[in-house]
Amino acid sequence: MKYLGIIGGMSWQSTAVYYRLLNEGIQQRLGGQHSASLLLASVDFEYIAELQHQDRWDELADYLTQQAQTLERSGCDAVLIATNTMHKVAPEIQAGLSIPILDLIEWVGEKLSDNQSQSVLLLGTRFTMASDFYRQRLEKQGLRIVVPSGDEQEIVHSVIFEELVQGQFTERSKQAYLQIINRCIEQEAIDSVILGCTEIPLLIPPQEVPVFAVDTTALHAEKALDWMLS
């Protein structure tokens, strides 16, 4: 089994899901008393969120590169960034490593292609929805990427930071998200949704979305398991 380094804590709510999925997956695949061989570098999300909202991405890249380098020096064979938003600086982090980063966005694209998706709604933090680091890579695969309107983006973003990362999952917020999804189905003709923040599937399980939905946390963990046992 390969030794996986995880940069987590962004937020710890979803990092706990990664930890559970990876250990459950190893036990299911190998049986016996097996569990995942991994090392977790869990950061203080308050510090991360502050730099995000101040648009200080260079500092974030430097900080997470230091975390990744610590994992590499500790003997990890690859790094998993346990969040969607911070893949915005994944190229900068990768430049400071000699081991690979397990690329979530590549696998999201493969999942959508396997489903023969064409028009896809991207939900996530405002940083994910408004930036092009996700959209550009998926559009190169011929996918049409849709994001919510400005007001809707603010709803999605505020629920993530004010509720989900605090462990609050309310029916009111679930219905607000579903209303946005349904509007995009009707007005934007989307056929798929990327649950592009690792906390969103905790609020809306993919099976409750009225079109095909990619649970990025579960997908990332599944592909990491494939890599660990390859």
Side-chain angles (χ1 to χ4, degrees):
M1 185 190 315
K2 295 177 182 175
Y3 190 29
L4 178 63
I6 299 176
I7 305 176
M10 300 173 286
S11 69
W12 73 263
Q13 301 285 343
S14 59
T15 301
V17 177
Y18 272 99
Y19 185 79
R20 175 177 59 79
L21 291 174
L22 289 168
N23 280 286
E24 286 179 349
I26 290 294
Q27 201 282 324
Q28 290 166 2
R29 295 186 188 203
L30 298 183
Q33 306 303 314
H34 286 287
S35 56
S37 178
L38 55 84
L39 181 62
L40 172 63
S42 189
V43 302
D44 180 2
F45 190 51
E46 178 72 20
Y47 174 66
I48 299 294
E50 180 179 334
L51 292 183
Q52 288 176 338
H53 285 92
Q54 293 175 1
D55 205 29
R56 294 160 64 183
W57 296 97
D58 288 345
E59 292 175 59
L60 283 164
D62 290 343
Y63 179 66
L64 293 189
T65 298
Q66 292 172 21
Q67 303 299 315
Q69 289 172 340
T70 297
L71 294 170
E72 180 175 9
R73 288 195 298 269
S74 298
C76 293
D77 298 305
V79 170
L80 181 150
I81 305 171
T83 174
N84 282 261
T85 297
M86 294 316 300
H87 280 75
K88 179 178 172 71
V89 295
E92 291 87 342
I93 300 170
Q94 183 66 79
L97 299 175
S98 59
I99 59 175
I101 292 173
L102 300 186
D103 187 352
L104 171 60
I105 300 175
E106 177 183 352
W107 288 327
V108 170
E110 290 178 359
K111 189 77 169 180
L112 292 166
S113 294
D114 289 344
N115 186 63
Q116 298 184 328
S117 300
Q118 295 183 334
S119 186
V120 184
L121 174 64
L122 173 61
L123 296 179
T125 66
R126 183 172 64 244
F127 316 116
T128 297
M129 293 183 289
S131 299
D132 60 9
F133 71 96
Y134 232 114
R135 182 186 303 118
Q136 281 188 349
R137 289 185 60 187
L138 297 181
E139 286 177 343
K140 287 180 179 178
Q141 297 181 214
L143 294 165
R144 173 176 174 258
I145 304 302
V146 175
V147 296
S149 69
D151 290 343
E152 290 170 337
Q153 286 189 33
E154 188 54 41
I155 292 170
V156 174
H157 181 86
S158 63
V159 167
I160 292 169
F161 277 88
E162 296 173 16
E163 298 179 20
L164 304 189
V165 301
Q166 307 290 340
Q168 300 173 23
F169 308 99
T170 68
E171 185 63 25
R172 175 185 56 82
S173 293
K174 177 191 284 190
Q175 292 305 317
Y177 273 45
L178 288 171
Q179 185 176 4
I180 292 168
I181 292 169
N182 285 321
R183 183 197 67 77
C184 290
I185 291 172
E186 294 172 4
Q187 298 182 12
E188 300 286 351
I190 64 162
D191 55 39
S192 306
V193 178
I194 300 169
L195 303 179
C197 174
T198 49
E199 288 80 25
I200 293 178
L202 296 172
L203 179 68
I204 309 178
Q207 63 269 23
E208 296 185 21
V209 178
V211 293
F212 178 75
V214 179
D215 178 342
T216 55
T217 307
L219 176 64
H220 210 185
E222 177 188 358
K223 294 297 187 178
L225 287 165
D226 291 343
W227 173 85
M228 292 173 78
L229 297 176
S230 63

